[in-house]
Amino acid sequence: MKKALYPGSFDPVTNGHLDVIQRASRLFDKIIVAVALNREKSPLFTIEERLDILKAVCRDIDNVEIVSFKGLLIDAVNEFDTCAVVRGLRAVSDFEYEFQMALMNRQLNLKCETVFLMPSPEYTFVSSRMVKEIAMCGGDVSTFVPEIVMSSFKAKRKGN
Ligand code: PNS
């Protein structure tokens, strides 16, 4: 069975992430979407909220599992026994960071191969960071995120 790990902050998941998950789910037997518990970032959504949102938006994709991971990505690759790491590549501006991360991970674990998938062109400019900024200022992000994320933003704006 060919399993792949799709790691990220998913704070929150966007339609671009979802597009990558759908593409990856057609290429691999199983996709493990792994939400990072990253100490350096202060997320808007808690890890539980991010996991719940992802579970809801991926409920119709049979071969997707949602997990969280702490620490190094290569340790998660070992733990979940995946043959590849999937990352989305939106534009050339993503390339340098992604290239560095892929090679660094492979240096740490020779078995850690990274596969890049390009989302649909309409998502090439969508990022969780910008979506958060717009949504928390009351802007309309309905074309960038799944419905459940809209209601989660509404709850955050009310202070929940
Ligand atoms: O969605 P993001 O924020 O671009 O995802 C980045 C993520 C979580 C994949 C990356 O920060 C990561 O792998 N973190 C785990 C710690 C780690 O292994 N760092 C070394 C990477 S070379």
Side-chain angles (χ1 to χ4, degrees):
M1 184 196 272
K2 293 262 182 225
K3 286 197 281 179
L5 193 84
Y6 179 35
S9 304
F10 303 107
D11 184 42
V13 61
T14 66
N15 288 338
H17 291 126
L18 199 51
D19 182 276
V20 169
I21 294 171
Q22 280 158 345
R23 286 171 198 282
S25 74
R26 294 194 286 267
L27 290 177
F28 294 92
D29 298 311
K30 185 157 190 176
I31 300 296
I32 313 242
V33 177
V35 185
L37 273 158
N38 195 334
R39 274 173 293 146
E40 280 161 33
K41 293 187 179 174
S42 27
L44 175 66
F45 293 98
T46 66
I47 190 77
E48 291 78 18
E49 288 168 335
R50 286 181 276 158
L51 289 168
D52 286 348
I53 293 171
L54 272 162
K55 281 177 191 162
V57 299
C58 294
R59 67 183 176 278
D60 292 333
I61 315 172
D62 289 341
N63 59 340
V64 171
E65 189 185 341
I66 316 292
V67 301
S68 63
F69 77 101
K70 203 158 62 178
L72 288 178
L73 178 60
I74 48 150
D75 291 336
V77 166
N78 280 335
E79 183 187 342
F80 295 102
D81 194 26
T82 55
C83 67
V85 169
V86 169
R87 291 286 288 169
L89 210 51
R90 291 165 299 186
V92 178
S93 51
D94 281 342
F95 181 75
E96 200 165 331
Y97 168 69
E98 294 296 338
F99 179 77
Q100 205 177 0
M101 190 160 76
L103 292 188
M104 189 66 93
N105 282 328
R106 199 166 62 189
Q107 190 68 30
L108 294 169
N109 177 348
L110 289 179
K111 287 192 303 183
C112 187
E113 294 293 354
T114 302
V115 172
F116 294 109
L117 295 179
M118 277 66 74
S120 271
E122 69 257 41
Y123 304 127
T124 47
F125 58 91
V126 178
S127 75
S128 295
R129 188 177 61 80
M130 282 192 189
V131 161
K132 262 188 294 197
E133 197 174 310
I134 296 166
M136 293 313 281
C137 291
D140 180 11
V141 291
S142 56
T143 54
F144 309 137
V145 292
E147 187 68 38
I148 184 176
V149 177
M150 296 291 290
S151 34
S152 307
F153 273 133
K154 207 180 272 180
K156 286 286 166 195
R157 282 202 301 272
K158 284 185 185 156
N160 298 325

